[in-house]
Amino acid sequence: LYGDAHTRNSSSDFLYGNASTGPVFLFENGWRIHTFLTAETGFADYDFLFWSAGLGGTIETRGTDPLRSITGVVSYADFSNTNSSGTFNAEPGRDAVVYGLSARLGWDSVFAKVDGIEIRPSVIYNDAAKSRFTFLQAGVTASYAISVLSFAGGVGNVYLSPEITVQYRDYEGQEPGRNTERHDWRVSPAVRLIAMYDNYTAVLGYMYDRNFSNYNN
């Protein structure tokens, strides 16, 4: 479950929920395959915006190889044709079949005894009903975490984790009145404090999110 509130533009408030479930298969070499069904929904300005449902699978590796996991998902998203509140405009043609592929790569004990680097590349193809909403998105998230405090005899740790996400989105079609295709860039640096103890995790963080587009709107 997720929600955000905007102090300067409350009509952009957003609510989101996601759930997934499925069996996990364990192999003798320690690898795991998790197949799942997933569903999600979103609300813009407290009015229904979209729902989505799909299926996917994750392969998790075990060992010293940098590749930690690969995930593939196929889903269908259905958008509201009536919600025109805030910055979201209802318009037919947004409904889409969405294909996603992502991976996790990680390295432990890089610069210190208790630290790690993780890189998460991803690709999404949003095959919308209208070409102006169809896009290919490529992105990567790079994060570093180092233990700055241990407690409970070393069982618990507090990590400092700087992170940055960069995404590029290329739209297939053109919007009315435009003679160029749309290209968007998103840059999002963040820093977090992550406390881990046994099976419990608490996160306190700050993120700066900036979007650039050749379309002013």
Side-chain angles (χ1 to χ4, degrees):
L1 299 176
Y2 169 84
D4 60 29
H6 299 255
T7 57
R8 289 184 293 179
N9 185 11
S10 60
S11 61
S12 294
D13 293 354
F14 185 71
L15 301 173
Y16 171 82
N18 171 279
S20 63
T21 184
V24 178
F25 303 96
L26 181 63
F27 294 86
E28 292 183 358
N29 62 358
W31 286 33
R32 300 194 305 177
I33 294 180
H34 176 207
T35 57
F36 55 86
L37 299 174
T38 182
E40 58 185 344
T41 186
F43 291 77
D45 195 22
Y46 310 98
D47 191 6
F48 171 73
L49 180 64
F50 80 95
W51 65 264
S52 174
L55 53 89
T58 297
I59 301 175
E60 295 184 3
T61 65
R62 290 292 185 270
T64 58
D65 293 337
L67 181 61
R68 303 292 174 86
S69 68
I70 298 175
T71 299
V73 181
V74 178
S75 62
Y76 177 76
D78 185 282
F79 282 80
S80 169
N81 291 324
T82 59
N83 183 353
S84 292
S85 58
T87 59
F88 302 94
N89 296 318
E91 187 172 347
R94 294 182 186 270
D95 300 348
V97 178
V98 184
Y99 305 88
L101 183 65
S102 62
R104 290 176 59 243
L105 299 96
W107 296 264
D108 297 323
S109 303
V110 180
F111 303 110
K113 185 177 180 180
V114 185
D115 75 345
I117 294 175
E118 186 172 274
I119 297 177
R120 302 186 296 275
S122 63
V123 177
I124 296 173
Y125 181 63
N126 187 82
D127 189 9
K130 283 187 177 181
S131 62
R132 57 179 293 204
F133 300 120
T134 298
F135 62 81
L136 177 66
Q137 176 179 295
V140 62
T141 297
S143 59
Y144 175 73
I146 183 170
S147 176
V148 294
L149 176 67
S150 62
F151 56 93
V155 177
N157 280 281
V158 177
Y159 296 89
L160 176 66
S161 178
E163 178 181 280
I164 185 167
T165 297
V166 178
Q167 293 175 343
Y168 173 72
R169 181 178 290 187
D170 182 13
Y171 284 83
E172 183 177 291
Q174 300 172 0
E175 294 192 13
R178 301 276 187 165
N179 56 9
T180 58
E181 293 184 356
R182 178 177 175 178
H183 307 283
D184 290 359
W185 283 93
R186 177 187 176 221
V187 180
S188 181
V191 61
R192 294 181 176 89
L193 283 176
I194 305 171
M196 302 181 69
Y197 176 77
D198 198 9
N199 291 321
Y200 300 95
T201 302
V203 179
L204 176 66
Y206 174 82
M207 179 180 68
Y208 177 79
D209 205 354
R210 185 73 170 92
N211 293 276
F212 305 89
S213 177
N214 63 336
Y215 280 29
N216 291 331
N217 58 347

